Amino acid sequence: MNKTALVAGATGIGGSATAALLVEQGWTVYALARKGSEQTGVRPVSADLLDAQATQEALKDIRPDAVYITTWLRQETEKQNIQINSAMVRNLLKGLPAAPQHVALVTGLKHYLGPFEAYGKGSLPQTPFREDQERLDIENFYYAQEDELFAAAKRDGFTWSVHRPHTVIGKAVGNAMNMGTTLAVYASLCRETGRPFTFPGSAAQWNSLTDMTDAGQLARHLLWATEQPAAHNQAFNIVNGDVFRWEWMWSRIAEWFGLEAAPFDGTVRPLAEQMAEDDAVWSAIAGREQLVEPDLRRLASPWHTDADLGRPIEVVTDMSKSRRLGFTAYQPTDDAFFALFEQLRAERLIP
C-alpha cells in the first residue's frame, strides 16, 4: 500500500534528502517549508509553523502515516530558541487533522555538547556519546523539542523516534548549518585568490578523532526507525560509521580542489574572519562562471563551521544502539564530501 509522509523543513539538508529517499521508495511526500518546495516528486506545502492557525489550515487535508521534523530556527538567545522551536513542533503536531502512526524528530549532538550559548563548555559527557547519557543540567532547545514530541505522542498515541546526527553533509542553499558547502566555497575562494587553504579550527579537532553524518545516511536512518518496530519510542545517534582526523581529511579536501593544504601550526583562524571580505570576490566568480547563486552568505555558514572545527574536545558518537537493532548502513565521510562537491559543481553552485 502507498504510504504518505509529511516532511517539515523539506528545503533543508536533512529534509530534502529524506523527501528524496521517500519518493524513491514510493511514498507520497508532502514537503512543508515556509516558501514551499520545488523538489522533484513531492507535493509542496507552504506554512509558517509559528502560526498555529495557518499551519492547521495548510495541513487540513493531509493525513500522513509518518511525519519527519527536520526544521528549526536560530534565535539570539537560548531562551528564544526554546520558545520558538518548541512552538514549531507543537503547532505542527496539533495542526494535523488526524494522528500519524509515527513521528521522527531530528536534533543533533548539541544534546550532549550544550546549546550555542554554552557550546562545548562546562561538564560534558565522556566520549563516545551514548544515547543513555543524561541530559545536561542546562536549558536546551533540543530538550524542549523532545518534550513537545513526547507530550503529543502521549496525547495522540503515535510512536516516535529522535535522531541525533553529527554535522550533516549535504546540499541546501540558504541553510544555517552547512559545513560541506562552506568548505567547498572556501576552497574555491582560496584557489581563486591564491590564499593558503588553512584549517580554521583548534588543535584538538585537527588531532583528535571525529565523525560526521551524510544527509543520505540520516534519511536512511529515519526511514529505518519508522519501519522497524524495535526502534519505536527511542532516541538514536546517527553518524556515517567511520572516524577520521581533520589532519587527514583536510588534505583530502584540498586535493579534490587541486590545492595543497597549508601546514597547521595550532593557531585558530576562524572562517568568519578569513571570509569576512569575500562577498565581492564570490560575486565576481559567480558572474564569470555563470553560477546560480552569487550571494556568498546563502551558500556559506562560516560561524557554524567555526563552532564545529573550533571545539576544544574530541567528539565521537556511538552507534551501537542502532547496530544492535539492525541498522547497518555505512557511508565513508570523505566519499560523502566528494559526492557533495560533485553535486555542487554539476548544479553550478561552485566553479
Side-chain angles (χ1 to χ4, degrees), residues 9-67:
T11 57
I13 293 176
S16 59
T18 301
L21 177 63
L22 292 167
V23 169
E24 179 184 304
Q25 295 294 314
W27 289 57
T28 297
V29 178
Y30 290 91
L32 188 152
R34 279 175 292 174
K35 296 182 180 179
S37 170
E38 298 180 357
Q39 191 170 357
T40 301
V42 305
R43 302 184 182 186
V45 180
S46 299
D48 179 355
L49 293 179
L50 290 174
D51 187 329
Q53 185 174 351
T55 298
Q56 185 176 27
E57 177 64 22
L59 300 178
K60 66 180 181 180
D61 297 321
I62 303 174
R63 289 172 169 76
D65 298 290
V67 176

Side-chain angles (χ1 to χ4, degrees), residues 13-14 17 21 30 66 81 94 119 122 144 147 189 194 231-232 270 308 344:
I13 293 176
L21 177 63
Y30 290 91
N81 276 329
K94 280 189 174 181
Y119 188 65
D147 290 343
L189 286 164
H232 292 171
D308 272 1
L344 294 175

Side-chain angles (χ1 to χ4, degrees), residues 280-295 348:
V281 178
W282 184 259
S283 181
I285 295 172
R288 186 188 71 221
E289 302 292 335
Q290 297 183 322
L291 303 183
V292 298
E293 182 51 74
D295 186 349
R348 309 300 306 159

Side-chain angles (χ1 to χ4, degrees), residues 261-277:
F264 179 64
D265 63 5
T267 303
V268 177
R269 296 180 172 87
L271 288 180
E273 296 177 5
Q274 292 194 54
M275 300 172 69
E277 305 299 326

Side-chain angles (χ1 to χ4, degrees), residues 134-154:
E134 297 292 331
R135 289 180 174 182
L136 301 176
D137 186 20
I138 187 171
E139 290 189 331
N140 189 323
F141 82 87
Y142 281 171
Y143 305 161
Q145 287 182 308
E146 286 186 345
D147 290 343
E148 291 291 347
L149 174 67
F150 302 154
K154 183 177 180 179

Side-chain angles (χ1 to χ4, degrees), residues 67-79:
V67 176
Y68 300 93
I69 305 174
T70 70
T71 186
W72 71 288
L73 287 174
R74 188 186 182 197
Q75 306 299 308
E76 291 186 2
T77 68
E78 191 58 19
K79 182 178 180 180

